[in-house]
Amino acid sequence: MCTEKMEADRDRAGMPVARRSFTALAGAGALVAALPARAMAGKPVTGRDVTITTADGICDAYFVAPAEGKHPGVLVWPDIRGLRPAFRQMADRLAGEGYAVLTVNPFYRWQKAPVVDAENNWGVAAVREKLFGYLKQLTRPIVETDVKAHLAFLDAQGEVDTKRGLGTTGYCMGGPMVIYTAALKPDRVGAAASFHGGGVGTDKPDSPHLLIPGTKAGYLFAIAEDDDKESPNEKVLLKSVLEPRSQWHEVEVYPAQHGWCPPDGRVYNEAAAEKAWARMLELFKAELA
């Protein structure tokens, strides 16, 4: 899971950023090179920076959709490093697959995106401390405030087919957020995917996984092997609430480390990331038809 200790330990260990420095990946051109060539194919898309008015302020975000037609909407919750070039490119790729994608800055209450950059990067202890401070304040009620505004924004866009279900994806800290999203709007959210999500299934009475039976979404939980070693019962808890349901579901431990999906990550694993991406598309195909 996304913990300060785990991330700080990785930073001290000097793990490479997909064999490039964070500075080298700061530009969009470098990020294109970081993704496999097949990731750049797909429908022509059009993206734009947007702002969303919530009950707590103005959220900055990125919206992208195929250049033509109406498509299922998808809400993306980034990892703790927030909305940045890597997640914009991932949004473009998903839009190329036929989805209208909204990727938000979850920390808008305190700072506009990007919350990390070449100078204020994850290797700086003060930056990590600041971001974990933001994360501690993102309680379920706060997230639900944002869910209401973000889903309403999606449904108001001409590119979104409101007759089809919405999807949501979350990375790292975004794992619980996809469950909160599906639980808040069970008649609207049809698919939820968590990639190396932190704390999605615990033994606490307010564990996010306990909300799943009250939702109608299909679920994908792609778990990192080091997270599984730290919390081996999490997959068991997830399966216990998913297996009785009829919706598409999958819980799998990947041979990759926490944070393996974003292409600008220190532990980016192309093979595992591509598999997780393909499984997400299968989920969306099954549940957002």
Side-chain angles (χ1 to χ4, degrees):
M1 65 185 65
C2 184
T3 66
E4 189 165 5
K5 178 181 182 298
M6 177 180 289
E7 298 295 351
D9 285 347
R10 286 179 179 162
D11 183 71
R12 287 194 294 270
M15 302 186 79
V17 186
R19 299 182 181 179
R20 297 173 175 84
S21 69
F22 181 87
T23 302
L25 284 174
L31 282 168
V32 170
L35 282 173
R38 61 183 174 276
M40 308 318 298
K43 301 176 184 291
V45 303
T46 301
R48 59 183 183 270
D49 291 329
V50 298
T51 57
I52 302 166
T53 301
T54 79
D56 291 341
I58 305 296
C59 176
D60 49 311
Y62 177 65
F63 177 74
V64 59
E68 298 180 354
K70 291 179 176 288
H71 309 272
V74 178
L75 171 61
V76 179
W77 300 99
D79 61 24
I80 196 167
R81 289 186 291 142
L83 175 58
R84 57 189 189 277
F87 270 87
R88 289 171 179 267
Q89 189 175 37
M90 291 162 69
D92 288 348
R93 181 184 182 187
L94 185 54
E97 295 287 348
Y99 298 92
V101 185
L102 176 66
T103 305
V104 299
N105 169 18
F107 301 135
Y108 72 89
R109 291 173 176 82
W110 309 286
Q111 185 177 346
K112 288 187 176 181
V115 294
V116 295
D117 56 28
E119 294 182 359
N120 300 288
N121 62 67
W122 192 252
V124 178
V127 172
R128 294 197 303 273
E129 182 178 356
K130 174 187 68 176
L131 294 180
F132 278 106
Y134 294 165
L135 175 56
K136 290 176 182 177
Q137 299 178 69
L138 287 178
T139 61
R140 179 184 168 190
I142 292 295
V143 172
E144 289 178 340
T145 293
D146 293 345
V147 170
K148 293 176 185 177
H150 298 337
L151 297 189
F153 175 90
L154 273 171
D155 276 344
Q157 305 312 302
E159 299 93 334
V160 174
D161 184 350
T162 57
K163 295 180 181 179
R164 300 172 69 179
L166 294 170
T168 182
T169 67
Y171 297 77
C172 181
M173 71 175 199
M177 295 177 183
V178 302
I179 301 177
Y180 298 155
T181 301
L184 188 67
K185 296 290 184 178
D187 292 325
R188 194 71 192 88
V189 179
S194 165
F195 303 98
H196 40 84
V200 292
T202 73
D203 59 2
K204 297 179 180 179
D206 62 348
S207 174
H209 84 283
L210 296 175
L211 298 172
I212 289 175
T215 71
K216 298 180 181 179
Y219 285 90
L220 167 66
F221 289 95
I223 302 171
E225 63 180 357
D226 50 352
D227 289 343
D228 182 58
K229 289 178 181 178
E230 184 175 323
S231 303
N233 196 46
E234 183 171 70
K235 61 182 178 295
V236 177
L237 294 172
L238 289 169
K239 291 178 181 179
S240 72
V241 295
L242 289 169
E243 290 179 351
R245 305 167 77 246
S246 61
Q247 292 87 348
W248 193 102
H249 63 270
E250 184 171 289
V251 180
E252 182 174 351
V253 177
Y254 282 62
Q257 297 188 44
H258 178 86
W260 86 81
C261 285
D264 64 344
R266 289 175 169 80
V267 294
Y268 173 63
N269 183 316
E270 180 181 319
E274 287 301 299
K275 177 181 177 180
W277 186 271
R279 299 312 296 158
M280 174 189 68
L281 294 181
E282 285 298 314
L283 165 65
F284 287 175
K285 180 180 178 180
E287 298 294 340
L288 301 183

